[in-house]
Amino acid sequence: FIYAQNLRTGSWHDLEMASFFRVGSTIGELITPLSGFGDASLKSAKVVAVDSGALTLAMLVGPEHVNPMGTLHGACSMLMLDVFTSFAILTAAPRVTVSVNMSGQYIGAARLGKEVTIHCKVEKAG
């Protein structure tokens, strides 16, 4: 459990992260204000499934996500990897996370207007 502050009332309460990521909610609805690097560009990602240590999101590739060729920018996909895997970790063990190493292999291009699905599962933490 971690503590969260209700921005409207100012009160603090326990927050169990697996229940925080509600299916059907967007990241923009759940995390307000979005103020970190790149957060605003991921606000439309929608929670599709959630369990302890696992999170699935779907996101429509918009103009803010693409490179000059009209496909999902590699830097955006790595931002998604970094942010969404951190969210998956939060569902299992609520704590501050820091990425140490990331790599990606691209198997195809996601074009502007297409939906991408992101499956994150914690296999090892710590």
Side-chain angles (χ1 to χ4, degrees):
F1 292 98
I2 62 172
Y3 290 98
Q5 185 177 26
N6 183 319
L7 297 176
R8 291 187 197 107
T9 66
S11 64
W12 290 85
H13 59 280
D14 285 339
L15 180 64
E16 206 234 293
M17 295 307 289
S19 63
F20 176 76
F21 291 102
R22 295 179 308 278
V23 171
S25 298
T26 65
I27 296 303
E29 293 168 336
L30 297 174
I31 301 172
T32 314
L34 292 169
S35 59
F37 170 76
D39 288 347
S41 65
L42 304 178
K43 68 182 178 187
S44 64
K46 185 177 281 193
V47 177
V48 175
V50 62
D51 200 354
S52 181
L55 187 63
T56 301
L57 301 111
M59 188 176 84
L60 191 66
V61 177
E64 68 274 22
H65 306 125
V66 297
N67 58 29
M69 296 176 289
T71 61
L72 182 64
H73 196 291
C76 185
S77 64
M78 292 305 285
L79 175 66
M80 291 164 50
L81 172 67
D82 188 26
V83 172
F84 297 155
T85 55
S86 293
F87 290 166
I89 292 168
L90 286 174
T91 67
R95 61 176 173 247
V96 175
T97 63
V98 177
S99 296
V100 176
N101 186 24
M102 295 189 315
S103 66
Q105 295 181 338
Y106 301 93
I107 58 173
R111 299 218 167 270
L112 177 65
K114 297 295 181 181
E115 184 176 76
V116 294
T117 303
I118 306 98
H119 302 282
C120 304
K121 181 180 178 194
V122 177
E123 294 185 4
K124 179 183 175 189

